[in-house]
């Protein structure tokens, strides 16, 4: 049952990540990876929300592990950061790492606080 719950969440998270990334990149038309930034921050918030209180174990598996795990893509963050640096967009490269990390941590913290209120 555990694997099924994780797989179900992942089956929703991965296409959500792909479609969101494509949509945001085509909308903004800049070299900055807005799609990756957005899905990582959202996944951090949702994971915090789920883990903020005594969520049902099935929700942690499906949403926390499956959905958030496949929605977030920190390996793509690393790739896009290196790509920006290679393209001599050094400021954007540094900002990508700093802002993504700080926004992700902030979103997770906000999710934890809100989750604690909701699950209480």
């Amino acid at each position: 049952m555990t694997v099924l719950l994780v797989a179900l969440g992942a089956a929703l998270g991965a296409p959500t990540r792909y479609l969101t990334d494509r949509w945001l990149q085509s909308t903004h038309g800049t070299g900055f990876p807005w799609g990756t930034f957005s899905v990582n921050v959202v996944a951090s918030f949702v994971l915090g929300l789920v883990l903020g209180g005594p969520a049902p174990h099935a929700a942690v598996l499906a949403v926390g592990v499956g959905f958030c795990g496949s929605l977030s893509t920190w390996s793509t963050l690393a790739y896009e950061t290196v790509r920006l640096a290679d393209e001599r967009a050094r400021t954007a490269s540094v900002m990508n790492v700093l802002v993504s990390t700080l926004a992700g941590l902030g979103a997770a913290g906000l999710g934890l606080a809100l989750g604690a209120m909701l699950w209480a």
Side-chain angles (χ1 to χ4, degrees), residues 1-37:
M1 186 62 156
T2 297
V3 172
L4 182 60
L5 288 168
V6 172
L8 178 63
L12 296 173
T16 300
R17 176 185 70 209
Y18 176 77
L19 294 172
T20 301
D21 180 62
R22 294 296 102 209
W23 177 69
L24 286 171
Q25 286 309 112
S26 68
T27 302
H28 284 79
T30 66
F32 191 81
W34 289 109
T36 302
F37 171 79

PDB file of all heavy atoms in Angstrom, residues 1-37:
ATOM      1  N   MET A   1       0.815  -1.194   0.000  1.00  0.00           N
ATOM      2  CA  MET A   1       0.000   0.000   0.000  1.00  0.00           C
ATOM      3  C   MET A   1       0.867   1.270   0.000  1.00  0.00           C
ATOM      4  O   MET A   1       0.506   2.249  -0.634  1.00  0.00           O
ATOM      5  CB  MET A   1      -0.917  -0.034   1.217  1.00  0.00           C
ATOM      6  CG  MET A   1      -1.904   1.076   1.234  1.00  0.00           C
ATOM      7  SD  MET A   1      -2.996   0.983  -0.183  1.00  0.00           S
ATOM      8  CE  MET A   1      -4.383   1.840   0.384  1.00  0.00           C
ATOM      9  N   THR A   2       1.995   1.224   0.699  1.00  0.00           N
ATOM     10  CA  THR A   2       2.891   2.376   0.772  1.00  0.00           C
ATOM     11  C   THR A   2       3.367   2.784  -0.616  1.00  0.00           C
ATOM     12  O   THR A   2       3.285   3.955  -0.991  1.00  0.00           O
ATOM     13  CB  THR A   2       4.102   2.061   1.675  1.00  0.00           C
ATOM     14  OG1 THR A   2       3.620   1.816   2.991  1.00  0.00           O
ATOM     15  CG2 THR A   2       5.091   3.193   1.702  1.00  0.00           C
ATOM     16  N   VAL A   3       3.837   1.825  -1.386  1.00  0.00           N
ATOM     17  CA  VAL A   3       4.360   2.118  -2.720  1.00  0.00           C
ATOM     18  C   VAL A   3       3.256   2.671  -3.612  1.00  0.00           C
ATOM     19  O   VAL A   3       3.482   3.602  -4.399  1.00  0.00           O
ATOM     20  CB  VAL A   3       4.997   0.853  -3.343  1.00  0.00           C
ATOM     21  CG1 VAL A   3       5.369   1.079  -4.789  1.00  0.00           C
ATOM     22  CG2 VAL A   3       6.211   0.427  -2.551  1.00  0.00           C
ATOM     23  N   LEU A   4       2.063   2.145  -3.473  1.00  0.00           N
ATOM     24  CA  LEU A   4       0.943   2.617  -4.279  1.00  0.00           C
ATOM     25  C   LEU A   4       0.603   4.080  -3.966  1.00  0.00           C
ATOM     26  O   LEU A   4       0.375   4.877  -4.876  1.00  0.00           O
ATOM     27  CB  LEU A   4      -0.284   1.729  -4.039  1.00  0.00           C
ATOM     28  CG  LEU A   4      -1.522   2.061  -4.851  1.00  0.00           C
ATOM     29  CD1 LEU A   4      -1.244   1.946  -6.338  1.00  0.00           C
ATOM     30  CD2 LEU A   4      -2.662   1.146  -4.457  1.00  0.00           C
ATOM     31  N   LEU A   5       0.603   4.441  -2.695  1.00  0.00           N
ATOM     32  CA  LEU A   5       0.320   5.824  -2.308  1.00  0.00           C
ATOM     33  C   LEU A   5       1.395   6.784  -2.827  1.00  0.00           C
ATOM     34  O   LEU A   5       1.083   7.861  -3.346  1.00  0.00           O
ATOM     35  CB  LEU A   5       0.194   5.935  -0.791  1.00  0.00           C
ATOM     36  CG  LEU A   5      -1.071   5.333  -0.192  1.00  0.00           C
ATOM     37  CD1 LEU A   5      -0.950   5.235   1.325  1.00  0.00           C
ATOM     38  CD2 LEU A   5      -2.294   6.124  -0.598  1.00  0.00           C
ATOM     39  N   VAL A   6       2.650   6.392  -2.699  1.00  0.00           N
ATOM     40  CA  VAL A   6       3.743   7.228  -3.199  1.00  0.00           C
ATOM     41  C   VAL A   6       3.652   7.358  -4.721  1.00  0.00           C
ATOM     42  O   VAL A   6       3.790   8.457  -5.270  1.00  0.00           O
ATOM     43  CB  VAL A   6       5.114   6.666  -2.764  1.00  0.00           C
ATOM     44  CG1 VAL A   6       6.252   7.422  -3.443  1.00  0.00           C
ATOM     45  CG2 VAL A   6       5.261   6.723  -1.250  1.00  0.00           C
ATOM     46  N   ALA A   7       3.383   6.258  -5.391  1.00  0.00           N
ATOM     47  CA  ALA A   7       3.278   6.273  -6.857  1.00  0.00           C
ATOM     48  C   ALA A   7       2.108   7.130  -7.327  1.00  0.00           C
ATOM     49  O   ALA A   7       2.226   7.861  -8.317  1.00  0.00           O
ATOM     50  CB  ALA A   7       3.135   4.850  -7.384  1.00  0.00           C
ATOM     51  N   LEU A   8       0.998   7.071  -6.612  1.00  0.00           N
ATOM     52  CA  LEU A   8      -0.159   7.881  -6.971  1.00  0.00           C
ATOM     53  C   LEU A   8       0.171   9.370  -6.863  1.00  0.00           C
ATOM     54  O   LEU A   8      -0.121  10.157  -7.774  1.00  0.00           O
ATOM     55  CB  LEU A   8      -1.346   7.543  -6.073  1.00  0.00           C
ATOM     56  CG  LEU A   8      -2.623   8.345  -6.308  1.00  0.00           C
ATOM     57  CD1 LEU A   8      -3.161   8.087  -7.700  1.00  0.00           C
ATOM     58  CD2 LEU A   8      -3.658   7.992  -5.260  1.00  0.00           C
ATOM     59  N   GLY A   9       0.796   9.759  -5.755  1.00  0.00           N
ATOM     60  CA  GLY A   9       1.202  11.153  -5.591  1.00  0.00           C
ATOM     61  C   GLY A   9       2.201  11.584  -6.653  1.00  0.00           C
ATOM     62  O   GLY A   9       2.096  12.676  -7.217  1.00  0.00           O
ATOM     63  N   ALA A  10       3.159  10.721  -6.930  1.00  0.00           N
ATOM     64  CA  ALA A  10       4.183  11.039  -7.932  1.00  0.00           C
ATOM     65  C   ALA A  10       3.577  11.148  -9.335  1.00  0.00           C
ATOM     66  O   ALA A  10       4.010  11.983 -10.132  1.00  0.00           O
ATOM     67  CB  ALA A  10       5.275   9.973  -7.914  1.00  0.00           C
ATOM     68  N   ALA A  11       2.574  10.327  -9.600  1.00  0.00           N
ATOM     69  CA  ALA A  11       1.920  10.366 -10.911  1.00  0.00           C
ATOM     70  C   ALA A  11       1.211  11.698 -11.135  1.00  0.00           C
ATOM     71  O   ALA A  11       1.016  12.116 -12.282  1.00  0.00           O
ATOM     72  CB  ALA A  11       0.923   9.214 -11.039  1.00  0.00           C
ATOM     73  N   LEU A  12       0.844  12.378 -10.077  1.00  0.00           N
ATOM     74  CA  LEU A  12       0.236  13.705 -10.190  1.00  0.00           C
ATOM     75  C   LEU A  12       1.285  14.815 -10.151  1.00  0.00           C
ATOM     76  O   LEU A  12       1.161  15.826 -10.845  1.00  0.00           O
ATOM     77  CB  LEU A  12      -0.779  13.913  -9.061  1.00  0.00           C
ATOM     78  CG  LEU A  12      -1.979  12.972  -9.074  1.00  0.00           C
ATOM     79  CD1 LEU A  12      -2.804  13.163  -7.810  1.00  0.00           C
ATOM     80  CD2 LEU A  12      -2.818  13.178 -10.312  1.00  0.00           C
ATOM     81  N   GLY A  13       2.324  14.637  -9.357  1.00  0.00           N
ATOM     82  CA  GLY A  13       3.343  15.670  -9.188  1.00  0.00           C
ATOM     83  C   GLY A  13       4.222  15.878 -10.410  1.00  0.00           C
ATOM     84  O   GLY A  13       4.521  17.015 -10.772  1.00  0.00           O
ATOM     85  N   ALA A  14       4.646  14.802 -11.038  1.00  0.00           N
ATOM     86  CA  ALA A  14       5.568  14.923 -12.175  1.00  0.00           C
ATOM     87  C   ALA A  14       4.953  15.667 -13.358  1.00  0.00           C
ATOM     88  O   ALA A  14       5.565  16.607 -13.886  1.00  0.00           O
ATOM     89  CB  ALA A  14       6.085  13.548 -12.592  1.00  0.00           C
ATOM     90  N   PRO A  15       3.743  15.308 -13.803  1.00  0.00           N
ATOM     91  CA  PRO A  15       3.174  16.088 -14.908  1.00  0.00           C
ATOM     92  C   PRO A  15       2.837  17.526 -14.503  1.00  0.00           C
ATOM     93  O   PRO A  15       2.934  18.437 -15.320  1.00  0.00           O
ATOM     94  CB  PRO A  15       1.908  15.325 -15.302  1.00  0.00           C
ATOM     95  CG  PRO A  15       1.714  14.256 -14.320  1.00  0.00           C
ATOM     96  CD  PRO A  15       2.933  14.147 -13.481  1.00  0.00           C
ATOM     97  N   THR A  16       2.475  17.724 -13.235  1.00  0.00           N
ATOM     98  CA  THR A  16       2.218  19.085 -12.760  1.00  0.00           C
ATOM     99  C   THR A  16       3.483  19.919 -12.868  1.00  0.00           C
ATOM    100  O   THR A  16       3.453  21.067 -13.317  1.00  0.00           O
ATOM    101  CB  THR A  16       1.703  19.072 -11.302  1.00  0.00           C
ATOM    102  OG1 THR A  16       0.499  18.319 -11.252  1.00  0.00           O
ATOM    103  CG2 THR A  16       1.463  20.474 -10.788  1.00  0.00           C
ATOM    104  N   ARG A  17       4.615  19.333 -12.476  1.00  0.00           N
ATOM    105  CA  ARG A  17       5.897  20.039 -12.580  1.00  0.00           C
ATOM    106  C   ARG A  17       6.201  20.388 -14.030  1.00  0.00           C
ATOM    107  O   ARG A  17       6.535  21.529 -14.359  1.00  0.00           O
ATOM    108  CB  ARG A  17       7.032  19.186 -12.015  1.00  0.00           C
ATOM    109  CG  ARG A  17       8.394  19.856 -12.205  1.00  0.00           C
ATOM    110  CD  ARG A  17       9.543  18.997 -11.762  1.00  0.00           C
ATOM    111  NE  ARG A  17       9.714  17.885 -12.656  1.00  0.00           N
ATOM    112  CZ  ARG A  17      10.215  16.708 -12.298  1.00  0.00           C
ATOM    113  NH1 ARG A  17      10.570  16.472 -11.062  1.00  0.00           N
ATOM    114  NH2 ARG A  17      10.357  15.757 -13.174  1.00  0.00           N
ATOM    115  N   TYR A  18       6.090  19.418 -14.905  1.00  0.00           N
ATOM    116  CA  TYR A  18       6.424  19.629 -16.312  1.00  0.00           C
ATOM    117  C   TYR A  18       5.537  20.706 -16.938  1.00  0.00           C
ATOM    118  O   TYR A  18       6.040  21.634 -17.583  1.00  0.00           O
ATOM    119  CB  TYR A  18       6.294  18.316 -17.091  1.00  0.00           C
ATOM    120  CG  TYR A  18       6.537  18.493 -18.556  1.00  0.00           C
ATOM    121  CD1 TYR A  18       7.834  18.629 -19.047  1.00  0.00           C
ATOM    122  CD2 TYR A  18       5.482  18.565 -19.459  1.00  0.00           C
ATOM    123  CE1 TYR A  18       8.073  18.818 -20.396  1.00  0.00           C
ATOM    124  CE2 TYR A  18       5.704  18.758 -20.799  1.00  0.00           C
ATOM    125  CZ  TYR A  18       6.999  18.884 -21.266  1.00  0.00           C
ATOM    126  OH  TYR A  18       7.224  19.086 -22.603  1.00  0.00           O
ATOM    127  N   LEU A  19       4.237  20.576 -16.748  1.00  0.00           N
ATOM    128  CA  LEU A  19       3.311  21.528 -17.364  1.00  0.00           C
ATOM    129  C   LEU A  19       3.463  22.932 -16.783  1.00  0.00           C
ATOM    130  O   LEU A  19       3.401  23.924 -17.522  1.00  0.00           O
ATOM    131  CB  LEU A  19       1.871  21.030 -17.207  1.00  0.00           C
ATOM    132  CG  LEU A  19       1.553  19.745 -17.977  1.00  0.00           C
ATOM    133  CD1 LEU A  19       0.171  19.223 -17.591  1.00  0.00           C
ATOM    134  CD2 LEU A  19       1.660  19.962 -19.472  1.00  0.00           C
ATOM    135  N   THR A  20       3.669  23.023 -15.487  1.00  0.00           N
ATOM    136  CA  THR A  20       3.876  24.329 -14.854  1.00  0.00           C
ATOM    137  C   THR A  20       5.151  24.982 -15.368  1.00  0.00           C
ATOM    138  O   THR A  20       5.169  26.177 -15.693  1.00  0.00           O
ATOM    139  CB  THR A  20       3.937  24.184 -13.320  1.00  0.00           C
ATOM    140  OG1 THR A  20       2.713  23.609 -12.859  1.00  0.00           O
ATOM    141  CG2 THR A  20       4.160  25.525 -12.636  1.00  0.00           C
ATOM    142  N   ASP A  21       6.219  24.212 -15.445  1.00  0.00           N
ATOM    143  CA  ASP A  21       7.494  24.737 -15.936  1.00  0.00           C
ATOM    144  C   ASP A  21       7.357  25.245 -17.365  1.00  0.00           C
ATOM    145  O   ASP A  21       7.773  26.359 -17.682  1.00  0.00           O
ATOM    146  CB  ASP A  21       8.571  23.660 -15.850  1.00  0.00           C
ATOM    147  CG  ASP A  21       9.907  24.172 -16.346  1.00  0.00           C
ATOM    148  OD1 ASP A  21      10.449  25.121 -15.741  1.00  0.00           O
ATOM    149  OD2 ASP A  21      10.411  23.635 -17.354  1.00  0.00           O
ATOM    150  N   ARG A  22       6.767  24.453 -18.229  1.00  0.00           N
ATOM    151  CA  ARG A  22       6.612  24.857 -19.632  1.00  0.00           C
ATOM    152  C   ARG A  22       5.756  26.112 -19.743  1.00  0.00           C
ATOM    153  O   ARG A  22       6.068  27.025 -20.503  1.00  0.00           O
ATOM    154  CB  ARG A  22       5.977  23.739 -20.481  1.00  0.00           C
ATOM    155  CG  ARG A  22       6.818  22.502 -20.633  1.00  0.00           C
ATOM    156  CD  ARG A  22       8.119  22.771 -21.388  1.00  0.00           C
ATOM    157  NE  ARG A  22       9.194  22.849 -20.395  1.00  0.00           N
ATOM    158  CZ  ARG A  22      10.304  23.549 -20.486  1.00  0.00           C
ATOM    159  NH1 ARG A  22      10.577  24.258 -21.522  1.00  0.00           N
ATOM    160  NH2 ARG A  22      11.196  23.561 -19.529  1.00  0.00           N
ATOM    161  N   TRP A  23       4.660  26.168 -18.991  1.00  0.00           N
ATOM    162  CA  TRP A  23       3.762  27.303 -19.051  1.00  0.00           C
ATOM    163  C   TRP A  23       4.453  28.581 -18.561  1.00  0.00           C
ATOM    164  O   TRP A  23       4.385  29.622 -19.221  1.00  0.00           O
ATOM    165  CB  TRP A  23       2.499  27.032 -18.236  1.00  0.00           C
ATOM    166  CG  TRP A  23       1.571  28.194 -18.206  1.00  0.00           C
ATOM    167  CD1 TRP A  23       0.831  28.695 -19.246  1.00  0.00           C
ATOM    168  CD2 TRP A  23       1.310  29.038 -17.088  1.00  0.00           C
ATOM    169  NE1 TRP A  23       0.117  29.800 -18.831  1.00  0.00           N
ATOM    170  CE2 TRP A  23       0.389  30.027 -17.505  1.00  0.00           C
ATOM    171  CE3 TRP A  23       1.747  29.047 -15.774  1.00  0.00           C
ATOM    172  CZ2 TRP A  23      -0.080  31.013 -16.648  1.00  0.00           C
ATOM    173  CZ3 TRP A  23       1.265  30.025 -14.922  1.00  0.00           C
ATOM    174  CH2 TRP A  23       0.365  30.991 -15.371  1.00  0.00           C
ATOM    175  N   LEU A  24       5.126  28.506 -17.417  1.00  0.00           N
ATOM    176  CA  LEU A  24       5.785  29.701 -16.880  1.00  0.00           C
ATOM    177  C   LEU A  24       6.945  30.166 -17.764  1.00  0.00           C
ATOM    178  O   LEU A  24       7.151  31.367 -17.940  1.00  0.00           O
ATOM    179  CB  LEU A  24       6.257  29.462 -15.452  1.00  0.00           C
ATOM    180  CG  LEU A  24       5.140  29.452 -14.413  1.00  0.00           C
ATOM    181  CD1 LEU A  24       5.669  28.998 -13.061  1.00  0.00           C
ATOM    182  CD2 LEU A  24       4.513  30.825 -14.307  1.00  0.00           C
ATOM    183  N   GLN A  25       7.691  29.236 -18.299  1.00  0.00           N
ATOM    184  CA  GLN A  25       8.807  29.632 -19.167  1.00  0.00           C
ATOM    185  C   GLN A  25       8.301  30.302 -20.433  1.00  0.00           C
ATOM    186  O   GLN A  25       8.885  31.270 -20.907  1.00  0.00           O
ATOM    187  CB  GLN A  25       9.685  28.437 -19.499  1.00  0.00           C
ATOM    188  CG  GLN A  25      10.564  27.975 -18.347  1.00  0.00           C
ATOM    189  CD  GLN A  25      11.363  29.103 -17.709  1.00  0.00           C
ATOM    190  OE1 GLN A  25      11.122  29.482 -16.577  1.00  0.00           O
ATOM    191  NE2 GLN A  25      12.314  29.650 -18.429  1.00  0.00           N
ATOM    192  N   SER A  26       7.204  29.796 -20.995  1.00  0.00           N
ATOM    193  CA  SER A  26       6.674  30.421 -22.214  1.00  0.00           C
ATOM    194  C   SER A  26       6.015  31.761 -21.907  1.00  0.00           C
ATOM    195  O   SER A  26       5.997  32.656 -22.739  1.00  0.00           O
ATOM    196  CB  SER A  26       5.678  29.489 -22.899  1.00  0.00           C
ATOM    197  OG  SER A  26       4.507  29.346 -22.117  1.00  0.00           O
ATOM    198  N   THR A  27       5.488  31.914 -20.703  1.00  0.00           N
ATOM    199  CA  THR A  27       4.830  33.160 -20.313  1.00  0.00           C
ATOM    200  C   THR A  27       5.839  34.265 -20.045  1.00  0.00           C
ATOM    201  O   THR A  27       5.631  35.410 -20.452  1.00  0.00           O
ATOM    202  CB  THR A  27       3.975  32.940 -19.036  1.00  0.00           C
ATOM    203  OG1 THR A  27       3.027  31.918 -19.311  1.00  0.00           O
ATOM    204  CG2 THR A  27       3.250  34.185 -18.619  1.00  0.00           C
ATOM    205  N   HIS A  28       6.927  33.934 -19.363  1.00  0.00           N
ATOM    206  CA  HIS A  28       7.894  34.957 -18.974  1.00  0.00           C
ATOM    207  C   HIS A  28       8.913  35.260 -20.069  1.00  0.00           C
ATOM    208  O   HIS A  28       9.378  36.374 -20.166  1.00  0.00           O
ATOM    209  CB  HIS A  28       8.620  34.547 -17.680  1.00  0.00           C
ATOM    210  CG  HIS A  28       7.763  34.727 -16.476  1.00  0.00           C
ATOM    211  ND1 HIS A  28       6.781  33.839 -16.128  1.00  0.00           N
ATOM    212  CD2 HIS A  28       7.722  35.710 -15.554  1.00  0.00           C
ATOM    213  CE1 HIS A  28       6.180  34.261 -15.035  1.00  0.00           C
ATOM    214  NE2 HIS A  28       6.719  35.399 -14.667  1.00  0.00           N
ATOM    215  N   GLY A  29       9.282  34.257 -20.826  1.00  0.00           N
ATOM    216  CA  GLY A  29      10.195  34.486 -21.930  1.00  0.00           C
ATOM    217  C   GLY A  29      11.567  35.009 -21.549  1.00  0.00           C
ATOM    218  O   GLY A  29      12.233  35.632 -22.351  1.00  0.00           O
ATOM    219  N   THR A  30      11.992  34.776 -20.308  1.00  0.00           N
ATOM    220  CA  THR A  30      13.328  35.208 -19.891  1.00  0.00           C
ATOM    221  C   THR A  30      14.210  33.986 -19.739  1.00  0.00           C
ATOM    222  O   THR A  30      13.742  32.857 -19.774  1.00  0.00           O
ATOM    223  CB  THR A  30      13.266  35.956 -18.538  1.00  0.00           C
ATOM    224  OG1 THR A  30      12.864  35.039 -17.518  1.00  0.00           O
ATOM    225  CG2 THR A  30      12.299  37.122 -18.590  1.00  0.00           C
ATOM    226  N   GLY A  31      15.480  34.224 -19.524  1.00  0.00           N
ATOM    227  CA  GLY A  31      16.404  33.122 -19.302  1.00  0.00           C
ATOM    228  C   GLY A  31      16.362  32.582 -17.882  1.00  0.00           C
ATOM    229  O   GLY A  31      16.938  31.544 -17.589  1.00  0.00           O
ATOM    230  N   PHE A  32      15.703  33.322 -16.978  1.00  0.00           N
ATOM    231  CA  PHE A  32      15.627  32.872 -15.587  1.00  0.00           C
ATOM    232  C   PHE A  32      14.628  31.720 -15.480  1.00  0.00           C
ATOM    233  O   PHE A  32      13.544  31.771 -16.042  1.00  0.00           O
ATOM    234  CB  PHE A  32      15.200  34.019 -14.669  1.00  0.00           C
ATOM    235  CG  PHE A  32      15.355  33.683 -13.206  1.00  0.00           C
ATOM    236  CD1 PHE A  32      16.592  33.778 -12.593  1.00  0.00           C
ATOM    237  CD2 PHE A  32      14.277  33.241 -12.467  1.00  0.00           C
ATOM    238  CE1 PHE A  32      16.744  33.458 -11.244  1.00  0.00           C
ATOM    239  CE2 PHE A  32      14.418  32.915 -11.124  1.00  0.00           C
ATOM    240  CZ  PHE A  32      15.652  33.022 -10.515  1.00  0.00           C
ATOM    241  N   PRO A  33      14.984  30.667 -14.749  1.00  0.00           N
ATOM    242  CA  PRO A  33      14.135  29.476 -14.655  1.00  0.00           C
ATOM    243  C   PRO A  33      12.946  29.632 -13.690  1.00  0.00           C
ATOM    244  O   PRO A  33      12.909  29.058 -12.609  1.00  0.00           O
ATOM    245  CB  PRO A  33      15.109  28.389 -14.182  1.00  0.00           C
ATOM    246  CG  PRO A  33      16.179  29.120 -13.459  1.00  0.00           C
ATOM    247  CD  PRO A  33      16.287  30.458 -14.121  1.00  0.00           C
ATOM    248  N   TRP A  34      11.966  30.435 -14.089  1.00  0.00           N
ATOM    249  CA  TRP A  34      10.810  30.707 -13.230  1.00  0.00           C
ATOM    250  C   TRP A  34       9.993  29.454 -12.937  1.00  0.00           C
ATOM    251  O   TRP A  34       9.416  29.327 -11.856  1.00  0.00           O
ATOM    252  CB  TRP A  34       9.919  31.769 -13.864  1.00  0.00           C
ATOM    253  CG  TRP A  34      10.546  33.112 -13.822  1.00  0.00           C
ATOM    254  CD1 TRP A  34      11.051  33.811 -14.880  1.00  0.00           C
ATOM    255  CD2 TRP A  34      10.768  33.925 -12.658  1.00  0.00           C
ATOM    256  NE1 TRP A  34      11.576  35.011 -14.451  1.00  0.00           N
ATOM    257  CE2 TRP A  34      11.415  35.107 -13.091  1.00  0.00           C
ATOM    258  CE3 TRP A  34      10.502  33.767 -11.308  1.00  0.00           C
ATOM    259  CZ2 TRP A  34      11.774  36.124 -12.213  1.00  0.00           C
ATOM    260  CZ3 TRP A  34      10.861  34.782 -10.435  1.00  0.00           C
ATOM    261  CH2 TRP A  34      11.481  35.934 -10.891  1.00  0.00           C
ATOM    262  N   GLY A  35       9.912  28.540 -13.872  1.00  0.00           N
ATOM    263  CA  GLY A  35       9.139  27.322 -13.662  1.00  0.00           C
ATOM    264  C   GLY A  35       9.713  26.466 -12.548  1.00  0.00           C
ATOM    265  O   GLY A  35       8.994  26.039 -11.635  1.00  0.00           O
ATOM    266  N   THR A  36      10.995  26.231 -12.595  1.00  0.00           N
ATOM    267  CA  THR A  36      11.657  25.437 -11.561  1.00  0.00           C
ATOM    268  C   THR A  36      11.565  26.125 -10.211  1.00  0.00           C
ATOM    269  O   THR A  36      11.267  25.490  -9.193  1.00  0.00           O
ATOM    270  CB  THR A  36      13.129  25.182 -11.935  1.00  0.00           C
ATOM    271  OG1 THR A  36      13.170  24.509 -13.202  1.00  0.00           O
ATOM    272  CG2 THR A  36      13.836  24.340 -10.896  1.00  0.00           C
ATOM    273  N   PHE A  37      11.799  27.424 -10.192  1.00  0.00           N
ATOM    274  CA  PHE A  37      11.690  28.188  -8.953  1.00  0.00           C
ATOM    275  C   PHE A  37      10.297  28.017  -8.349  1.00  0.00           C
ATOM    276  O   PHE A  37      10.153  27.719  -7.165  1.00  0.00           O
ATOM    277  CB  PHE A  37      11.981  29.664  -9.231  1.00  0.00           C
ATOM    278  CG  PHE A  37      11.691  30.563  -8.062  1.00  0.00           C
ATOM    279  CD1 PHE A  37      12.583  30.666  -7.013  1.00  0.00           C
ATOM    280  CD2 PHE A  37      10.512  31.291  -8.011  1.00  0.00           C
ATOM    281  CE1 PHE A  37      12.313  31.483  -5.916  1.00  0.00           C
ATOM    282  CE2 PHE A  37      10.235  32.112  -6.930  1.00  0.00           C
ATOM    283  CZ  PHE A  37      11.131  32.204  -5.876  1.00  0.00           C
TER     284      PHE A  37
END
